[in-house]
Amino acid sequence: MQHIRNFCIIAHIDHGKSTLADRLLQFTKTITERESKDQVLDDMDLERERGITIKSKAIQMEHIHEGQKYVLNLIDTPGHVDFSYEVSRSIAACEGALLIVDAAQGIQAQTISNLYLAIEHDLTIIPVLNKMDLPGAMPEEVMDQIIDLIGCDIEDIIPASGKTGMGVENILKAIIERVPAPKGDPEAPLQALVFDSVFNSFRGIIAYFRVMNGSIKKGDKVKFMATEKVYNADEIGTLKLSLDPKPEIRAGDVGYIVSGIKEAREVKVGDTLTHADRPCSEAIQGFENVKPMVFAGIYPVDTEDFEELRASLEKLQLNDASLTFEPESSAALGFGFRCGFLGMLHMEIIQERLEREFNMNVITTVPNVSYWAHTTKGDKFLMRTPSDMPDHNTLDFIEEPYIRAQIITKPDFIGPIMSLCMDKRGIIVSQNYLMSERVELIFEMPLAEIVFDFYDKLKTISKGYASFDYHITEFRQSDLVKMDILLNGEQVDALSSLIHRSKAHDFGKRLCEKLKELVPRQQFQIAIQAAIGAKIVARENISAMRKDVTAKCYGGDISRKRKLLEKQKEGKKRMRQIGSVEVPQTAFLAVLKLDK
């Protein structure tokens, strides 16, 4: 155990974690020249296309330092705020963390929040100043920021460059010398933390774990404490670029187990693995449950695919424990699932993964957040969808979640950012200058306002320089109304939304105009209406397809033409009463892009 080091890499998005991880793997000869490519650990197509890390990825390296061989277990983590749950899981399995800061951009919001997470778990922090080869690098200024943030000495900061490979040897040396060896009793009963799992169509579910105490051998009978299920350890091993089978894994090490588990629900991330005949006394603590921030309905385009969609979501949940879902039904869309996501990017990624990895064609409804509804009888319950809203005769008031948002930006963009936040019902709490070129703005604002496109707009007005992080603080009473969309007098529940009264009129008008472009014309006139309760706040008409019924009528008395037109009018009226309007999928997606 003295020669094992477990560490993770944490940083803000785009600060060069994955590139630096590539250099560490090449330097320790974990990957050969043939296997080498950019972002080795980002093995998902989506990750490579977008240039972001979505999943934490563990890999084992071996390095010889002063004649002694050390085993280094590295976990590369995502940097985007929507995937911070992955980071919290990785931190729970490590003793040290490489804190990577871009020398050209300095400290940003996600750097700070990930750092606090690591400090809470008593991890040893090794600060690394990355991208030193860039012409725009400001090493002295950024080093001062790091010293202010974590109180280290200037000698502790390692200058490096993932691109050129500068400083890689110093990083490995610092990991071995500064990160403590894992503590644990190899003779105690087995106690291992399951921190990730993947589904393999040939071998069932493969769980990744970190052994805290004891050891596990091939063929042992093991038990998952949360589900109480017992399995045989058919194969165990360590995580190299591919799975590397071993006869035994001891305390302090990270490995995987294949035990022929077929059901996705039987493995829970954060569960404790132990021996069936000699179990440990208690499960491992300190593993937080995920709190979804954004809720949306996901429905199969073809209702017969409902069970297939359930199986796909279960397999996805294995690989991404921050996804939550429960069945729901809708009058317009049939049976589907109410899914909870950590943010809009997370929702987009899940939707793309369903289409790519499982060939599922899905419709996603308007995303929203959860509210507490208080009734006049004194009861309160959680509203996940607009259709959960009680009748306005029994509703007393609604509470909505508020967040504390931290935005770090350059002073040039303070004005536009403030007006954006005020527009989203934000209240400024404080404004601090971290240094001459860095301002920290703290806002309190409703979570519902940042769900749609806040992050995109923030990036646009700050030319990509503003970084954003937030956490939910409390629920506050708010004047919210339910807006329904009526097509031909019939309510379309998938387009209903909860919105603040001050913005309802404008939102309803824009939505009706958008739907007018997207809903196909029929033989009869269609009225698109936005309604709050019984009050119509906006309306647009889609005119009927015209047919000239009087074309065959030439000459003669005018009453003949009038008779034909009256007959047509009657037919249109009858059509309108029995006709139904098909809403295309683009209309559901249009609501998401209203402001763009």
Side-chain angles (χ1 to χ4, degrees), residues 568-579:
Q568 185 192 31
K569 201 166 154 189
E570 284 298 311
K572 294 270 186 202
K573 194 173 166 188
R574 205 163 50 244
M575 246 186 201
R576 188 169 163 185
Q577 282 167 351
I578 59 167

Side-chain angles (χ1 to χ4, degrees), residues 529-547:
Q529 296 164 308
I532 298 171
K535 184 183 174 190
I536 305 292
V537 293
R539 172 178 174 139
E540 290 285 338
N541 288 332
I542 298 177
S543 53
M545 287 181 182
R546 312 289 302 187
K547 180 185 171 191

